[in-house]
Amino acid sequence: MMELVQRASSCFIHTAKFSSPQNRRHLANSSCKSRKKKSQTNTTSSNFARTKSLVVRASDEVDTAVVLDKPTLRPPRFQVFDGSPAPFGATARDGGVNFAVFSMNAVSATLCLTTLSDLQDKRVIEQIPLDPLTNKTGDVWHVFLKGDFTEMVYGYKFDGDFSPQGGHYYDSSQLLLDPYAKAVVSRGEFGVLGPEGDCWPQMVCMVPSPDAQFDWEGDLPLKLPQRDLVIYELHVRGFTRHDSSRTEFPGTYVGVVEKLDHLKELGVNCIELMPCHEFNELEYYSYNSVLGDYKMNFWGYSTINYFSPMIRYSSAGNLDCGHGAINEFKLLVKEAHKREIEVIMDVVFNHTAEGNEKGPTLSFRGVDNSVFYMLAPKGEFYNYSGCGNTFNCNHPVVRQFILDCLRYWVTEMHVDGFRFDLASILTRGSRFLWDAVNVYGNPMGGDLLTTGTPLSNPPLIDMISNDPVLRGVKLLAEAWDCGLYQVGRFPHWGIWSEWNGKYRDTVRQFIKGTDGFAGAFAECLCGSPNLYQVGGRKPWNSINFVCAHDGFTLADLVMYNDKHNLANGEDNNDGENHNNSWNCGQEGEFASISVKKLRKRQMRNFFLCLMVSQGVPMIYMGDEYGHMKGGNNNTYCHDNYINYFRWDKKEEASPDFFRFCCLMTQLRRESESLGLNDFPTAERLQWHGHSPGTPDWSEASRFVAFTLIDSVKGALYIAFNTSHLPVTISLPEWPGYGWEPLVDTSKPAPFDFLTDDLPERDTAIKQYAHFLDANLYPMLSYSSIILVLSPDNDA
């Protein structure tokens, strides 16, 4: 009864004295009847305010009652009903909200609701215990509420065993996120600490509104043929955070929208967003004495919630409890589609931000740790991700969770595909796969599967590949994890593509002039048939890249032999040691004029190679103008100039390298032969050496050349000389036609790419006339060329 006193409002309290024990019993019985009646009216306990209610306190001599005189009756905040076990998450419907959450091992569940203002004071204003008899179906807890949800947010509390050795971490004091929440609310501004300097303030979930709307303006999936894509790996905050972006909302989804025309100019038709699921950028927060700032989780590969867009990438922040962030992400997708640019999300289903047993309990661990994570027999966390835990992707419940999540981003957010970080973890067996009947419906021969065993037909990949919604979107795998390398061997069902790490390594080795890579380089130019043809895949299943977020930028690749990661505060012990880079003779940014010229040449060589290779090219953000990170190949922790796109530097590069990149993507787009649907055969492609038709595949060869028949251009002659010596080559003869120079990376801009509108184009071509008349062409060391077949007017 004391709770009636505490929750009553506008009451004047009197005291009265009773000497009879019978009166106490009468009051107690009244109280019990009141509770019973209350439970039958589907309202929460906080909705009761009664007239002349009495609370009895016992004493030795006399009984004292507190009388509440006629409080103002307050309507119930919520009506409570049993609810439905489907769909998972919070769903607005029928004038209320249905809440449903899975937990197989919890013994009790409580739905908690509060407001943002109360959250700041660490108050939960409504706690609704879920009855396992009426609010539970199978392993799903559920409840349906009707009432005023204005500015309301929610979370769950679960109780059960706290036995880490048994794989359980239940703690009824923890307020947990719903794994299916559509937005997570905590801090509203990127990099700003929570109350009292807290890096992990309480996070809660958005309650959906039936009035939430977004005008898609008829937006439909672009469904661009994958062979035609030019992908651009983009970090939402880093793209416009620098002052030189001059955007209204720098570092946000809206900021990216303002700069989409830059990508259109570059020739990009697909952006691959680095993680945009909710994560905590303060996860690594610590003072960095090297730079005098604070380390952040800048890249975001540490997911907290998979359905929620990163709220601090929105200009709205916490406004509207997350609805604004959802709409801003949708705006980015819609505006990209208007420019014929697809949007792919980098998703991190291999691990979560909860880490190992020493990490925070935010959601999955407190909901059902033994289901969502791969555990050893004594409850230890398997760590195939290298980040403390491994998501239990092939558990029946977890794989359905992942499928639901991917479908949501496709159907509700209109994204065009996904790049799966450390995707090999998606192929590892769950502990539940020890019982093969559980997955395949019949026993399997041989030894029983153990947790983490790579599967040839992983159920999750099977489900995604054959899902009627997902099989039509782009599916890209980073085909490795900490203990498994599957490039060329990832289970694919004919539709999965791979980040081709072997392409990156081979191209770097050959172009910097390492012996023994001519043959492997030729395979890369053809779309890596050695990796993908036997399994029935196509060139476009190879995502070709020279640089990505993880590793050197293109400018650093030609500027540093060694990593320089001291700014990370880890004594240069972090990051990859084998970068296959070459500084062109001097380490670091400051070098002689001749070294700087060679570096520019090498950057052009790499970009040209990327654009003339069969497969799908991927450009890393900033490489189009030569972004430098000072030789740091692991910039995960820097929310500063190291990771920010420098729009001022891009402007400086416009007449030089940026122009070259734009023209190369345009050439690829215009040339039918540079994005083939199948691997090139001898009918289309012929290999050459210093002389026509005599390729050199020897160990010492540093020259690769080929002609490519093109229905638009007629034919292209493409050659790479990665020797330290110049060479004069003989060109293949084509009766009635001659070769005309188009690209020569050894030439300074603008003569590195001879466009039709170049004022001095004719003069530049005449300088080669005496060579071309003799069917010859001079190539400098470390250079590449593209010649185009044209009618010979003198023939």
Side-chain angles (χ1 to χ4, degrees):
M1 289 291 290
M2 281 302 298
E3 62 206 43
L4 297 179
V5 178
Q6 294 166 354
R7 296 187 183 188
S9 58
S10 304
C11 298
F12 183 78
I13 301 177
H14 300 281
T15 57
K17 294 186 178 180
F18 299 85
S19 58
S20 170
Q22 286 80 7
N23 285 334
R24 293 200 300 272
R25 286 195 297 272
H26 171 74
L27 292 171
N29 291 335
S30 298
S31 173
C32 291
K33 292 176 182 177
S34 172
R35 289 195 188 99
K36 185 176 180 180
K37 182 177 180 181
K38 171 181 60 181
S39 66
Q40 295 170 345
T41 58
N42 290 321
T43 57
T44 66
S45 60
S46 62
N47 295 326
F48 274 81
R50 305 178 69 81
T51 304
K52 292 287 185 184
S53 295
L54 304 179
V55 175
V56 179
R57 294 173 181 165
S59 65
D60 292 337
E61 303 266 334
V62 99
D63 295 328
T64 304
V66 180
V67 182
L68 310 183
D69 275 347
K70 291 189 178 180
T72 304
L73 290 175
R74 153 166 92 82
R77 185 185 293 272
F78 297 112
Q79 292 178 287
V80 183
F81 303 91
D82 294 347
S84 169
F88 286 134
T91 308
R93 69 182 194 194
D94 302 328
V97 178
N98 190 78
F99 298 85
V101 62
F102 163 87
S103 182
M104 179 171 65
N105 292 297
V107 297
S108 70
T110 302
L111 175 65
C112 303
L113 295 109
T114 188
T115 65
L116 286 182
S117 57
D118 285 298
L119 184 66
Q120 294 296 317
D121 297 326
K122 300 181 180 180
R123 286 199 305 264
V124 173
I125 61 175
E126 296 287 344
Q127 296 196 49
I128 303 173
L130 305 187
D131 188 334
L133 296 179
T134 59
N135 299 115
K136 189 181 182 186
T137 303
D139 296 324
V140 182
W141 302 80
H142 48 80
V143 66
F144 182 79
L145 303 184
K146 285 188 176 183
D148 183 7
F149 288 97
T150 304
E151 296 187 357
M152 296 293 286
V153 288
Y154 77 99
Y156 286 102
K157 291 183 179 181
F158 291 94
D159 203 0
D161 289 340
F162 185 87
S163 55
Q165 285 194 338
H168 304 303
Y169 285 80
Y170 288 108
D171 181 351
S172 60
S173 68
Q174 291 270 8
L175 185 60
L176 303 172
L177 295 173
D178 180 356
Y180 277 79
K182 302 308 184 291
V184 171
V185 183
S186 59
R187 298 175 295 104
E189 188 175 349
F190 192 96
V192 176
L193 295 169
E196 301 176 359
D198 191 356
C199 291
W200 290 95
Q202 179 63 58
M203 291 175 280
V204 286
C205 311
M206 175 195 78
V207 176
S209 168
D211 302 323
Q213 295 181 348
F214 180 80
D215 184 4
W216 280 106
E217 301 180 71
D219 178 73
L220 293 172
L222 296 178
K223 295 186 177 180
L224 301 177
Q226 187 160 314
R227 66 178 182 272
D228 295 337
L229 296 185
V230 175
I231 299 176
Y232 187 89
E233 189 185 25
L234 182 148
H235 188 282
V236 168
R237 179 169 172 83
F239 195 51
T240 62
R241 184 61 188 85
H242 194 266
D243 291 342
S244 61
S245 74
R246 299 187 182 90
T247 53
E248 183 177 1
F249 299 105
T252 66
Y253 304 119
V254 177
V256 175
V257 170
E258 292 188 50
K259 293 297 187 179
L260 286 174
D261 289 338
H262 162 75
L263 301 180
K264 190 70 174 177
E265 181 185 6
L266 178 58
V268 167
N269 59 5
C270 179
I271 52 178
E272 183 179 301
L273 299 176
M274 289 177 66
C276 289
H277 288 152
E278 185 68 25
F279 67 92
N280 181 12
E281 72 279 10
L282 301 179
E283 183 175 358
Y284 314 136
Y285 189 78
S286 61
Y287 182 70
N288 186 348
S289 60
V290 179
L291 295 182
D293 63 0
Y294 289 84
K295 294 175 66 172
M296 299 277 185
N297 174 13
F298 185 76
W299 285 350
Y301 289 93
S302 194
T303 308
I304 288 173
N305 184 278
Y306 291 101
F307 283 83
S308 307
M310 174 61 169
I311 201 167
R312 289 171 299 286
Y313 280 173
S314 69
S315 64
N318 280 342
L319 295 178
D320 212 10
C321 295
H323 288 97
I326 293 173
N327 286 340
E328 287 188 25
F329 186 93
K330 290 179 177 178
L331 175 68
L332 168 56
V333 175
K334 181 176 73 172
E335 292 300 318
H337 285 176
K338 286 181 179 179
R339 294 163 175 80
E340 297 293 310
I341 297 174
E342 293 191 331
V343 178
I344 289 176
M345 293 185 70
D346 194 339
V347 291
V348 191
F349 287 110
N350 56 79
H351 76 283
T352 77
E354 291 184 308
N356 59 20
E357 67 280 357
K358 297 180 180 178
T361 297
L362 309 170
S363 180
F364 303 99
R365 174 173 295 149
V367 172
D368 212 323
N369 182 75
S370 65
V371 169
F372 285 103
Y373 295 113
M374 286 189 188
L375 303 179
K378 293 185 178 180
E380 306 96 328
F381 289 86
Y382 281 109
N383 190 19
Y384 295 113
S385 68
C387 299
N389 64 50
T390 305
F391 213 49
N392 201 13
C393 297
N394 281 297
H395 184 286
V397 170
V398 182
R399 64 177 184 258
Q400 186 62 54
F401 167 82
I402 294 173
L403 209 72
D404 291 343
C405 180
L406 298 176
R407 281 183 167 190
Y408 171 80
W409 286 96
V410 171
T411 58
E412 182 65 26
M413 309 297 264
H414 288 205
V415 302
D416 302 282
F418 306 93
R419 179 263 185 187
F420 294 81
D421 183 65
L422 297 184
S424 289
I425 284 175
L426 278 61
T427 73
R428 292 185 179 272
S430 160
R431 183 171 62 175
F432 276 70
L433 293 182
W434 289 349
D435 176 11
V437 177
N438 186 47
V439 178
Y440 298 104
N442 58 279
M444 295 175 61
D447 296 333
L448 292 178
L449 297 169
T450 57
T451 303
T453 300
L455 306 172
S456 58
N457 295 296
L460 174 61
I461 305 299
D462 187 343
M463 290 175 68
I464 294 173
S465 303
N466 294 289
D467 184 81
V469 172
L470 300 177
R471 67 173 289 105
V473 304
K474 275 74 176 181
L475 301 171
L476 283 54
E478 184 184 39
W480 56 83
D481 60 27
C482 284
L484 187 60
Y485 191 77
Q486 295 178 304
V487 171
R489 298 180 293 107
F490 190 83
H492 55 79
W493 275 262
I495 61 175
W496 283 76
S497 302
E498 297 174 10
W499 263 29
N500 192 342
K502 292 184 178 180
Y503 177 97
R504 171 199 60 204
D505 299 340
T506 299
V507 167
R508 287 186 179 192
Q509 290 276 29
F510 181 76
I511 286 184
K512 78 186 183 77
T514 305
D515 286 342
F517 284 90
F521 180 73
E523 293 273 10
C524 291
L525 293 171
C526 292
S528 301
N530 57 319
L531 297 178
Y532 301 112
Q533 191 170 30
V534 174
R537 282 187 281 181
K538 304 293 185 179
W540 45 264
N541 290 122
S542 173
I543 308 301
N544 301 329
F545 65 104
V546 174
C547 299
H549 68 274
D550 196 358
F552 280 149
T553 66
L554 187 57
D556 285 357
L557 186 65
V558 301
M559 200 176 295
Y560 295 94
N561 282 352
D562 303 304
K563 67 182 183 182
H564 295 265
N565 295 3
L566 287 174
N568 299 351
E570 300 179 42
D571 297 325
N572 209 39
N573 291 320
D574 63 304
E576 178 59 57
N577 291 316
H578 306 288
N579 297 285
N580 298 319
S581 60
W582 179 43
N583 63 17
C584 297
Q586 291 177 266
E587 187 81 354
E589 180 179 356
F590 302 102
S592 66
I593 293 176
S594 61
V595 168
K596 287 183 176 181
K597 288 182 177 179
L598 177 56
R599 289 172 175 174
K600 287 186 176 181
R601 198 149 77 231
Q602 286 290 76
M603 288 174 64
R604 289 192 283 263
N605 290 335
F606 279 119
F607 201 87
L608 184 149
C609 173
L610 195 60
M611 290 300 138
V612 302
S613 298
Q614 302 299 325
V616 177
M618 186 184 79
I619 307 166
Y620 175 53
M621 182 183 86
D623 278 351
E624 69 268 33
Y625 69 83
H627 183 75
M628 297 178 289
K629 295 185 179 181
N632 194 327
N633 70 358
N634 190 31
T635 59
Y636 72 98
C637 59
H638 295 289
D639 180 33
N640 54 42
Y641 68 92
I642 294 176
N643 279 318
Y644 294 167
F645 189 103
R646 293 290 302 273
W647 293 93
D648 51 344
K649 298 295 183 184
K650 178 258 176 176
E651 293 302 320
E652 293 173 11
S654 288
D656 189 356
F657 189 60
F658 180 66
R659 169 186 176 272
F660 180 83
C661 293
C662 292
L663 291 172
M664 281 303 309
T665 59
Q666 180 180 340
L667 174 65
R668 180 181 177 88
R669 187 168 60 250
E670 294 175 349
S671 302
E672 166 266 344
S673 62
L674 295 181
L676 297 175
N677 192 52
D678 216 331
F679 298 100
T681 64
E683 296 178 353
R684 181 186 285 270
L685 184 149
Q686 292 83 40
W687 297 104
H688 308 289
H690 293 162
S691 299
T694 57
D696 182 3
W697 307 122
S698 69
E699 187 75 11
S701 175
R702 298 186 182 182
F703 184 86
V704 171
F706 61 99
T707 50
L708 197 60
I709 296 175
D710 188 280
S711 62
V712 177
K713 302 293 184 183
L716 301 172
Y717 178 91
I718 303 171
F720 297 85
N721 177 31
T722 63
S723 170
H724 61 286
L725 299 173
V727 62
T728 299
I729 58 175
S730 297
L731 301 172
E733 295 188 12
W734 217 291
Y737 293 87
W739 294 103
E740 187 173 281
L742 178 65
V743 180
D744 188 335
T745 61
S746 70
K747 305 299 181 185
F751 303 105
D752 52 355
F753 200 116
L754 301 178
T755 57
D756 291 339
D757 60 352
L758 188 65
E760 299 173 304
R761 179 178 182 275
D762 292 340
T763 302
I765 291 178
K766 286 179 181 179
Q767 292 176 348
Y768 292 96
H770 58 297
F771 283 102
L772 295 172
D773 287 344
N775 233 31
L776 301 173
Y777 194 91
M779 291 186 69
L780 289 186
S781 61
Y782 302 108
S783 69
S784 51
I785 62 170
I786 301 177
L787 310 180
V788 181
L789 200 66
S790 62
D792 188 350
N793 297 324
D794 297 328

